[in-house]
Amino acid sequence: MPEKELTLVDRCILVTLMVKAAPLPQTYFTNVAGIGLKADHRRRLQSLGLIEVTEKPITLALTDRGWDRATEELGAEPPKGAGTAGGTLYVALDFLRRLIDHSGTRADDLFRMQINRDEVVAPPVTSSGAPAVDAVALIRQAYHELAAKPGDYVMLADLRGALTDLSRPEFDAALMTLNRERGVHLVPESNQKVLKPQERAAAVTIGNQDKHLVAISS
């Protein structure tokens, strides 16, 4: 199938990968973004050299060619049959194209940009006034020690094993905080049959769904 005949779902997959600027598991598309990503879409985009696919869990990432193709959707006309939601998406994409043109920023630089909060904040303290443990920082540090590279998925069971000094409530609360941050993805294992008992027990429940893996791209 020529690239110009990409379906709306194909295009939404590329745009989602571009905006998130990180490898994403297939479960993110189906469970979070609400995109009906099927094997045909995955194979088509892979055969066109637009994405790379890894297994366990199935994860998609844009190639350089994929970045270029996704960028073409900025300012493009919505494909036939896009519907109300699709039309609205392309209105937003057109705004992003005008923003990029006005600022002179490359699309990949814009989406990879990290917007940091004000770092001058008072450290958390316990009821006794002693400094509290920064569980978020500890999890970030442990993640980067376990992951081969930023954006790779790490089992929560492995993270919990590396941070045995954190209580479960502290660990889970920190995960909830991280889950709200850009570049952090908590996802379920796509193949539930391969989960070991300790991996099931280590899951954190968010939105009535057990999450078993985390990726931090920043």
Side-chain angles (χ1 to χ4, degrees):
M1 174 181 287
E3 287 187 29
K4 66 180 180 181
E5 295 182 23
L6 290 179
T7 67
L8 178 60
V9 173
D10 294 333
R11 297 178 186 209
C12 286
I13 292 167
L14 295 178
V15 168
T16 300
L17 286 168
M18 174 178 66
V19 172
K20 299 302 289 185
L24 296 174
Q26 179 160 305
T27 50
Y28 180 88
F29 294 92
T30 55
N31 297 342
V32 180
I35 298 173
L37 193 165
K38 298 181 180 178
D40 287 346
H41 301 120
R42 201 171 62 237
R43 286 193 291 264
R44 179 163 52 249
L45 294 173
Q46 190 174 19
S47 69
L48 291 169
L50 302 178
I51 64 169
E52 295 175 343
V53 180
T54 56
E55 303 290 335
K56 296 182 180 180
I58 296 175
T59 303
L60 285 65
L62 286 177
T63 61
D64 289 341
R65 184 176 179 183
W67 267 101
D68 292 340
R69 183 62 182 83
T71 303
E72 291 178 17
E73 295 304 306
L74 299 173
E77 293 293 324
K80 292 181 179 179
T84 302
T88 303
L89 167 65
Y90 277 83
V91 169
L93 292 177
D94 180 65
F95 169 77
L96 286 173
R97 163 56 65 192
R98 289 185 283 115
L99 176 64
I100 288 168
D101 291 344
H102 177 74
S103 66
T105 304
R106 286 169 49 92
D108 53 348
D109 289 337
L110 174 66
F111 293 120
R112 289 184 173 120
M113 180 175 62
Q114 300 300 316
I115 301 175
N116 298 317
R117 295 183 181 132
D118 184 2
E119 296 180 356
V120 184
V121 295
V125 296
T126 64
S127 57
S128 64
V133 173
D134 188 345
V136 169
L138 290 176
I139 290 176
R140 281 186 173 276
Q141 180 181 349
Y143 167 84
H144 288 297
E145 291 173 355
L146 291 169
K149 63 180 185 299
D152 282 356
Y153 280 89
V154 169
M155 277 286 180
L156 292 185
D158 295 333
L159 269 181
R160 290 189 193 274
L163 296 170
T164 54
D165 288 342
L166 284 182
S167 68
R168 179 147 194 145
E170 287 176 319
F171 194 101
D172 288 358
L175 285 178
M176 296 293 188
T177 298
L178 281 168
N179 189 53
R180 295 191 290 269
E181 295 187 8
R182 180 182 175 88
V184 177
H185 305 286
L186 281 157
V187 300
E189 167 58 57
S190 57
N191 184 359
Q192 299 282 308
K193 294 180 180 178
V194 305
L195 285 173
K196 300 173 183 176
Q198 63 268 30
E199 292 171 339
R200 291 184 185 277
V204 61
T205 302
I206 300 176
N208 296 321
Q209 187 178 57
D210 287 345
K211 314 288 188 179
H212 309 96
L213 299 122
V214 63
I216 302 177
S217 59
S218 62

